[in-house]
């Protein structure tokens, strides 16, 4: 808790180790703290609405980098197929609803450009794709500039090679897209909080070490003692486990249609790849493995291969 800057940075973190547990008066209070208006307006619109205090849909829509867009696809007898173009690849989207109305739930990357964008939806009559526009508004995330010993920034050649192997492996895990059989998809995407504890609001925090910007923090850190059980926030299937250089003991769960969750720095992984876990079922334990300075859960939530803010999926 007292030494948030002491761990060394790394080049391409999936999980940037330990972060300041910044208190801003509650997660849903974040947009009201003035962060969104900290900079002069740009050409892109600024997010003007906070998530509702008692939302009726999950996840909340917040069309900013690192947020989620909910785009109505209208009525259709069967679930429409929708996709988004990311890094020159067409990535399928999560689509929820029923014949009366379908909704595409899109993850917006932290690095997404502001302004106009679109997804593509397959026409029911097979006549091709139609474009459905949406807009990405500005959200100003915090930035920290730190001066550290160069030795703590640079990895040894061995560690760098290991890190690159693990990064490539996990990039493959992130492409998982499974379609649950009809009727077996979760009725709601409202998630349980995976472990009780103080939650950071450091999603999106960007650190600059010795003038070199690192990837922003792409998950939520929850402080808890080593050994505290972690429960599945939704029903899911274990699709990957490992002991990774930066992330330590790590489990990935697949909740269907590209909705994945990731758990890092674990002290214990009580499942195997292929296991199915129920919502609320304990499956791993908090630890301090990987590059961390103290025990906590790093929790990542991914839609369409894009890490989004877990706070949008859980009650405040
Ligand atoms: Zn973290």
């Amino acid at each position: 808790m007292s030494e948030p800057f002491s761990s060394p940075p790394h080049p391409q973190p999936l999980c940037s180790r330990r972060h300041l547990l910044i208190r801003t008066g509650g997660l849903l209070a974040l947009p009201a703290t003035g962060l969104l208006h900290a900079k002069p307006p740009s050409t892109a619109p600024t997010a003007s609405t906070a998530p509702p205090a008692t939302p009726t849909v999950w996840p909340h829509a917040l069309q900013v980098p690192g947020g989620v867009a909910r785009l109505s696809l209208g009525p259709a007898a069967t679930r429409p197929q929708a996709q988004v173009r990311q890094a020159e690849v067409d990535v399928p989207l999560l689509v929820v609803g029923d014949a009366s109305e379908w909704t595409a739930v899109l993850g917006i990357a932290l690095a997404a450009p502001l302004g106009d964008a679109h997804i593509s939806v397959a026409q029911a009559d097979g006549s091709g794709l139609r474009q459905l526009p949406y807009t990405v508004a500005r959200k100003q995330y915090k930035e920290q500039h730190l001066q550290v010993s160069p030795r703590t920034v640079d990895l040894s050649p061995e560690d760098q090679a290991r890190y690159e192997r693990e990064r490539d492996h996990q990039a493959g895990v992130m492409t998982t897209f499974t379609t649950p059989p009809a009727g077996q998809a979760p009725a709601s995407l409202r998630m349980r909080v995976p472990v009780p504890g103080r939650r950071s609001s450091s999603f999106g925090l960007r650190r600059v070490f010795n003038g070199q910007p690192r990837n922003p923090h792409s998950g939520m850190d929850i402080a808890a003692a080593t050994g505290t059980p972690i429960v599945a926030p939704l029903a899911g299937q274990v699709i990957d486990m490992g002991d990774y250089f930066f992330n330590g003991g790590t489990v990935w769960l697949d909740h269907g249609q590209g909705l994945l969750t990731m758990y890092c720095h674990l002290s214990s992984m009580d499942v195997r790849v292929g296991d199915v876990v129920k919502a609320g079922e304990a499956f791993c334990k908090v630890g301090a493995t990987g590059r961390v300075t103290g025990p906590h859960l790093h929790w990542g939530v991914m839609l369409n291969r894009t890490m989004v803010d877990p706070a949008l999926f859980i009650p405040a």
Side-chain angles (χ1 to χ4, degrees):
M1 288 295 138
S2 61
E3 43 176 26
F5 304 128
S6 62
S7 57
H10 55 85
Q12 295 284 326
L14 282 168
C15 167
S16 320
R17 282 169 315 290
R18 193 80 191 290
H19 306 281
L20 277 180
L21 295 170
I22 299 165
R23 299 297 285 175
T24 57
L27 293 164
L28 287 181
L30 236 186
T33 60
L35 288 178
L36 294 179
H37 307 286
K39 284 210 167 172
S42 71
T43 53
T46 295
S48 57
T49 54
T54 53
T56 55
V57 296
W58 302 87
H60 315 317
L62 188 63
Q63 290 184 202
V64 301
V68 169
R70 303 179 61 92
L71 304 172
S72 175
L73 308 181
T78 57
R79 181 162 57 203
Q81 293 191 329
Q83 63 191 37
V84 65
R85 190 87 175 153
Q86 293 178 170
E88 300 180 16
V89 176
D90 291 319
V91 177
L93 296 179
L94 182 145
V95 176
V96 296
D98 56 34
S100 66
E101 185 183 18
W102 299 96
T103 301
V105 182
L106 167 75
I108 303 170
L110 274 165
L114 306 182
D116 295 333
H118 69 272
I119 65 169
S120 299
V121 186
Q123 304 275 38
D125 62 5
S127 63
L129 298 171
R130 68 183 167 97
Q131 291 191 350
L132 193 59
Y134 65 98
T135 303
V136 180
R138 172 182 293 278
K139 177 170 180 174
Q140 190 65 40
Y141 291 105
K142 292 186 180 181
E143 195 170 281
Q144 290 180 337
H145 290 258
L146 306 168
Q147 292 294 324
V148 296
S149 162
R151 279 184 311 184
T152 66
V153 178
D154 299 326
L155 296 184
S156 70
E158 294 76 18
D159 287 345
Q160 181 68 26
R162 177 183 168 188
Y163 157 69
E164 289 176 6
R165 279 196 308 275
E166 295 177 353
R167 177 196 58 194
D168 293 349
H169 168 75
Q170 300 220 29
V173 172
M174 293 176 197
T175 65
T176 302
F177 190 93
T178 58
T179 305
Q184 290 187 24
S188 167
L189 299 182
R190 176 177 174 154
M191 293 189 180
R192 295 165 194 244
V193 179
V195 68
R198 195 158 58 109
R199 304 176 204 164
S200 79
S201 57
S202 62
F203 181 88
L205 174 70
R206 182 179 290 276
R207 285 184 163 177
V208 181
F209 287 99
N210 301 350
Q212 299 174 27
R214 302 290 157 169
N215 281 352
H217 187 228
S218 60
M220 173 185 284
D221 291 341
I222 305 178
T226 293
T228 308
I230 297 167
V231 303
L234 283 177
Q237 184 167 32
V238 179
I239 53 167
D240 189 66
M241 295 171 57
D243 179 12
Y244 297 118
F245 181 73
F246 288 113
N247 293 347
T250 298
V251 176
W252 286 82
L253 297 182
D254 170 20
H255 306 288
Q257 295 193 83
L259 176 59
L260 312 179
T261 53
M262 177 178 69
Y263 307 81
C264 301
H265 313 309
L266 306 174
S267 62
S268 171
M269 298 180 274
D270 311 318
V271 283
R272 286 195 263 190
V273 171
D275 284 356
V276 172
V277 292
K278 300 190 192 93
E281 183 179 346
F283 68 102
C284 57
K285 296 187 179 74
V286 172
T289 55
R291 289 289 191 99
V292 293
T293 56
H296 71 278
L297 170 65
H298 173 98
W299 180 35
V301 175
M302 176 166 272
L303 283 167
N304 47 273
R305 308 180 193 176
T306 297
M307 286 294 185
V308 296
D309 190 349
L312 298 172
F313 289 78
I314 57 175

